[in-house]
Amino acid sequence: MRESTYDESDFGRGGLNAQVDADTLLEEIGLDRAEIDWRKEFVGFDGDDADRLRRYEDVFRANAEQVADDFYENLTGHEQTTAVIGRSDKSVDQLKRTQSAYLVTLATGDYGLDYFRDRARIGKIHDLLDMPIKHYIGQYSVYFDLVLPLVGDRLTDTLTDRLTDTDGDGGVAPAMSE
């Protein structure tokens, strides 16, 4: 497991970023604080969810490079998605770094205007690359398949720790006599 430092500074380094004015984009799509609040309420995302995500930061950080490697192995294995990647001015290694940062920042954001600005800008760059919606949406399925085992493993570890720490007895309840 490799572990590196990733954060928002890893976004916005490609040449296409010069073609995207993120603030104008937010205005065009009507994404302001009220809209962000509505979207969070719509999907039921609250402070407890943000706290839960923060608990995965170390897992995401420790696995970010492997997830990016696996993600791009899938993308570069298909002619259609390779063509989209070829339209980017970033190398696959640079794209992997951005992907690693994306994963880590899923668990480090305050999920406010700056967070949504980055995500909207990234979406617009995919649009500038003429990425078909089938690729954009399809990538989320691939991504979830890579990330869900990490979440599941952490959940299993957390539950195991809780069960084995019950009353300091290794999780074994005292025998009940009849």
Side-chain angles (χ1 to χ4, degrees):
M1 225 182 307
R2 299 166 294 187
E3 190 167 338
S4 295
T5 302
Y6 300 104
D7 58 31
E8 296 83 8
S9 68
D10 290 298
F11 299 136
R13 294 178 179 244
L16 289 175
N17 285 283
Q19 297 179 41
V20 179
D21 179 333
D23 291 324
T24 301
L25 174 61
L26 292 182
E27 272 184 46
E28 288 173 0
I29 63 176
L31 193 57
D32 58 16
R33 290 187 194 283
E35 176 65 12
I36 290 167
D37 290 343
W38 182 89
R39 289 178 184 201
K40 287 179 181 178
E41 189 272 327
F42 180 70
V43 299
F45 186 89
D46 61 18
D48 290 340
D49 295 309
D51 290 342
R52 277 188 286 279
L53 277 169
R54 283 186 194 96
R55 287 185 224 139
Y56 287 93
E57 179 184 353
D58 63 326
V59 173
F60 290 174
R61 191 174 298 284
N63 291 279
E65 290 181 21
Q66 186 63 55
V67 168
D69 287 345
D70 293 346
F71 183 75
Y72 274 92
E73 181 179 332
N74 180 71
L75 291 178
T76 58
H78 300 277
E79 188 176 317
Q80 289 181 25
T81 50
T82 302
V84 174
I85 291 168
R87 291 191 288 269
S88 173
D89 65 334
K90 284 185 170 184
S91 69
V92 171
D93 284 339
Q94 290 170 317
L95 291 168
K96 286 180 181 181
R97 175 140 186 108
T98 301
Q99 188 63 50
S100 295
Y102 176 85
L103 176 60
V104 170
T105 60
L106 286 174
T108 60
D110 69 0
Y111 314 105
L113 192 58
D114 289 339
Y115 181 87
F116 277 78
R117 178 184 291 113
D118 276 338
R119 277 16 189 211
R121 188 180 43 71
I122 291 167
K124 181 63 177 176
I125 289 171
H126 285 93
D127 183 49
L128 291 173
L129 292 170
D130 292 324
M131 178 179 287
I133 195 74
K134 68 181 183 180
H135 296 169
Y136 191 79
I137 299 298
Q139 289 178 78
Y140 280 100
S141 177
V142 171
Y143 203 66
F144 288 142
D145 285 346
L146 296 170
V147 173
L148 285 178
L150 302 176
V151 172
D153 289 348
R154 171 53 66 91
L155 181 59
T156 300
D157 292 346
T158 300
L159 290 173
T160 301
D161 289 347
R162 286 183 183 173
L163 290 172
T164 57
D165 288 342
T166 303
D167 297 327
D169 62 3
V172 179
M176 301 293 286
S177 60
E178 293 183 17

